[in-house]
Amino acid sequence: MSHPDELLRIEGIRKTFPGVVALDSVDFALRRGEVHVLLGENGAGKSTLIKMLSGAYRPDEGRILVDGAETRIQGAQDAERLGIATIYQEFNLVPDLTVAENIFLGRQPRRFGLLDRKRMNADAAELLARVGVDVDPRTRVRDLGIARLQMVEIAKALSLDARVLIMDEPTAVLTTEEVEKLFRIVRRLRDDGVGIVFITHHLEEIAALGDRVTVLRDGRSVDQVPANTPEDHLVRLMVGRSIEQQYPRERAAAGAPLLRVSGLTRAGVFHDIDFEVRAGEVVGLAGLVGAGRTEVVRAVFGADPYDLGSVEVQGHPLRRQDVNAAMDAGLGLVPEDRKGQGLVLDATVQENLGLVTLGRSTRAGFVDRAGQRRAADRISGQLKVRMAGLHQQVRTLSGGNQQKVVIGKWLLADTKVLILDEPTRGIDVGAKVEIYQLINELTASGHAVLMISSDLPEVLGMSDRVLVMSQGRIAGELSAQEATQDAVMALAVSATAATDTATTNSATTNSAAKDVEVSRGH
């Protein structure tokens, strides 16, 4: 029975791709003024479902009803006409255009046949004010941070008079404060009668924001439950089993240093970075967004330059800004942006898994393809990559399985120190535990892991030691026993607090120098 406030209903939807059943008899319904969470493992069918609602895919079977009437969504224009807007994990914005131009792209207001830029900027400013973001509509999108890009996407959706707003992992790259701001906006939209489909892997967000939850597993809708359903029950629905330990770290005695970083400095970015990573241990690198963590590990790996300092792997110094030398020495980097920097999206699973070992598999200009295939088959089986086969294009895999491929190519290279930058961002709880078990296997075999994560419980749960960065410096080191959320956060804000105090004291002593001190702070 349909609900009187029902905006959207999906009945018996089935969608197949060559060798894969992505959705099978899926049912889903969205009401006016509710946040309906769509929950499931990577590969469960969530992305296929929302692409069907946005017009990117057409169903093989089943039907879609909007306001009780059956409809066909053949493309983005149909979705727009029906009031359905989608905000994907990878933002659909043009960097070189202004905020206003992005919001009204393809729908710019005109006067006497010419672009009415004044009206466009005014309308954009009104939409931005509605979502509570202080951005000049004339600002180029490339100059905005992640959180503001998210708000521009929401403003763009509102400009379409969206009645159905689909948000795919909107909090994946936001700080806690930014998440709270986003939640306030979502609640305001819900109160205005917008129906919101919310996809997240952060279970704690469900009760805080959601009204109902539909759980997908293996392409099927397995249950619909209230948003206050206990997390352990949600996990069982998602993965078909209980997960007893969220962070199953198996600690062992640390061995000899494998990676030593000394005095690493890059002017204006990071300063005097000293640390080492020993065989058999996981070292966590924590800090606030913008603290310099990613910049440091990219410099260590040779991807970015640095001015002073040295990097040693197993006692041997590395040449600066030489990725090949870093890989030959036994360093591997799983980057924060797996799609942009970690994968060749149009290549197959097998080709991506063989990227790092391609050189050593080549003799007299010929690649040992049979050997590469055997290795790819072995590692994909070990990592439980869900795919139609090694021939499948990697862009068609779910986020969690793409991440396994990125990690897998380094495992095939027998990497001694694996640097993981946000290794579980956008990955479901089941796949996270599989990656944690993989980390255990690496360290048990005498390898080491340097891990960056903005998920503080993950850092605390999986690290043997935690290095905390603040404003481009290492503010302190904590053992696993010392590392608590309060202790990490105290160090993470320590340099900021010291800077603020120094600026305040200086301003009090000599108010005439206030502007100078502030400019130095920036």
Side-chain angles (χ1 to χ4, degrees):
M1 295 285 293
S2 63
H3 190 277
D5 284 332
E6 196 167 272
L7 285 172
L8 173 74
R9 172 172 286 273
I10 290 172
E11 294 181 348
I13 288 292
R14 179 180 172 86
K15 180 65 179 176
T16 62
F17 299 99
V20 178
V21 179
L23 295 173
D24 190 8
S25 301
V26 169
D27 298 317
F28 177 81
L30 177 69
R31 297 172 188 166
R32 183 176 291 104
E34 80 161 341
V35 177
H36 196 141
V37 178
L38 193 58
L39 189 64
E41 289 188 275
N42 295 107
K46 304 184 302 297
S47 294
T48 303
L49 183 59
I50 64 173
K51 285 178 180 178
M52 210 161 289
L53 292 174
S54 64
Y57 295 156
R58 259 74 63 195
D60 300 330
E61 298 176 15
R63 60 182 192 152
I64 300 172
L65 297 92
V66 176
D67 294 327
E70 186 172 348
T71 188
R72 291 181 180 273
I73 305 177
Q74 304 285 357
Q77 288 185 330
D78 287 344
E80 181 181 324
R81 174 178 51 80
L82 293 165
I84 300 172
T86 303
I87 301 175
Y88 293 101
Q89 276 183 274
E90 290 78 30
F91 298 136
N92 190 25
L93 299 171
V94 182
D96 289 326
L97 297 183
T98 68
V99 168
E101 288 167 341
N102 269 279
I103 289 174
F104 293 105
L105 188 62
R107 301 172 291 111
Q108 298 94 330
R110 296 188 175 275
R111 188 180 184 196
F112 306 124
L114 301 175
L115 173 64
D116 189 346
R117 192 170 293 277
K118 182 177 180 181
R119 178 184 161 196
M120 181 176 70
N121 289 334
D123 289 348
E126 185 178 328
L127 289 164
L128 292 167
R130 185 177 170 189
V131 298
V133 60
D134 182 19
V135 175
D136 188 326
R138 296 167 295 182
T139 304
R140 296 208 177 275
V141 160
R142 68 165 58 256
D143 297 326
L144 300 181
I146 291 291
R148 289 188 170 187
L149 291 176
Q150 186 80 260
M151 302 310 170
V152 171
E153 282 278 23
I154 295 174
K156 182 178 176 182
L158 295 180
S159 75
L160 298 169
D161 293 323
R163 300 183 303 137
V164 174
L165 180 59
I166 303 168
M167 307 183 78
D168 186 7
E169 293 286 351
T171 65
V173 293
L174 302 184
T175 65
T176 301
E177 182 179 342
E178 290 164 349
V179 168
E180 283 302 319
K181 184 174 183 179
L182 175 67
F183 280 12
R184 287 196 294 271
I185 293 168
V186 171
R187 292 184 186 109
R188 195 182 311 147
L189 293 173
R190 177 179 61 187
D191 293 344
D192 288 343
V194 177
I196 297 160
V197 181
F198 196 88
I199 298 175
T200 182
H201 287 310
H202 296 284
L203 300 183
E204 71 278 3
E205 294 177 355
I206 295 173
L209 189 67
D211 297 300
R212 293 188 294 162
V213 182
T214 290
V215 183
L216 298 183
R217 186 170 76 232
D218 297 329
R220 292 176 174 269
S221 44
V222 295
D223 206 350
Q224 184 189 105
V225 295
N228 61 1
T229 299
E231 288 185 11
D232 59 347
H233 184 61
L234 292 175
V235 170
R236 282 197 298 274
L237 289 172
M238 284 173 60
V239 303
R241 67 187 191 279
S242 296
I243 291 179
E244 305 300 334
Q245 197 174 356
Q246 192 173 2
Y247 304 108
R249 176 68 183 131
E250 297 170 5
R251 294 184 170 86
L258 295 181
L259 172 66
R260 180 176 282 121
V261 176
S262 304
L264 213 64
T265 298
R266 182 179 172 189
V269 182
F270 50 81
H271 313 275
D272 298 323
I273 303 298
D274 293 296
F275 66 88
E276 64 180 26
V277 183
R278 295 177 173 271
E281 72 172 350
V282 177
V283 174
L285 197 54
L288 301 177
V289 173
R293 298 167 300 166
T294 293
E295 291 79 3
V296 166
V297 298
R298 284 180 56 84
V300 168
F301 187 63
D304 289 342
Y306 57 91
D307 304 322
L308 299 170
S310 64
V311 178
E312 294 180 6
V313 179
Q314 300 183 87
H316 301 291
L318 289 185
R319 290 191 299 272
R320 295 185 188 184
Q321 210 170 348
D322 190 334
V323 170
N324 288 328
M327 292 193 297
D328 290 343
L331 282 185
L333 172 63
V334 174
E336 180 181 22
D337 179 6
R338 62 175 170 258
K339 289 189 176 181
Q341 300 172 359
L343 295 166
V344 179
L345 293 175
D346 289 328
T348 66
V349 172
Q350 177 180 322
E351 289 166 340
N352 272 277
L353 285 170
L355 285 174
V356 179
T357 55
L358 186 62
R360 70 184 69 168
S361 300
T362 303
R363 295 290 183 274
F366 294 95
V367 177
D368 179 7
R369 295 191 181 277
Q372 287 249 304
R373 185 167 54 253
R374 287 193 299 271
D377 188 56
R378 173 176 58 81
I379 203 69
S380 61
Q382 179 186 337
L383 297 180
K384 301 176 184 174
V385 178
R386 296 174 65 177
M387 59 184 177
L390 293 172
H391 60 278
Q392 185 174 348
Q393 263 193 347
V394 81
R395 72 161 60 249
T396 63
L397 297 180
S398 67
N401 287 296
Q402 287 180 346
Q403 187 75 330
K404 290 178 183 180
V405 171
V406 180
I407 294 173
K409 70 181 181 183
W410 294 112
L411 298 185
L412 285 177
D414 193 31
T415 301
K416 300 301 179 186
V417 180
L418 185 58
I419 303 170
L420 302 173
D421 193 353
E422 303 290 358
T424 64
R425 175 177 288 167
I427 293 178
D428 65 77
V429 64
K432 282 183 180 181
V433 172
E434 290 176 355
I435 288 176
Y436 299 151
Q437 294 289 12
L438 180 61
I439 290 172
N440 284 334
E441 292 172 17
L442 280 169
T443 55
S445 62
H447 298 208
V449 172
L450 176 62
M451 182 176 72
I452 296 174
S453 177
S454 298
D455 184 349
L456 191 48
E458 178 175 76
V459 173
L460 301 179
M462 289 302 296
S463 301
D464 302 309
R465 289 185 291 124
V466 179
L467 305 172
V468 185
M469 287 193 65
S470 178
Q471 292 195 345
R473 298 180 183 272
I474 293 182
E477 177 181 321
L478 301 168
S479 67
Q481 293 74 30
E482 296 169 326
T484 64
Q485 294 206 27
D486 288 344
V488 170
M489 290 307 298
L491 287 170
V493 301
S494 59
T496 304
T499 300
D500 291 346
T501 300
T503 303
T504 301
N505 289 342
S506 176
T508 302
T509 303
N510 186 359
S511 59
K514 181 176 180 181
D515 291 339
V516 175
E517 292 301 320
V518 170
S519 67
R520 286 176 184 168
H522 288 287

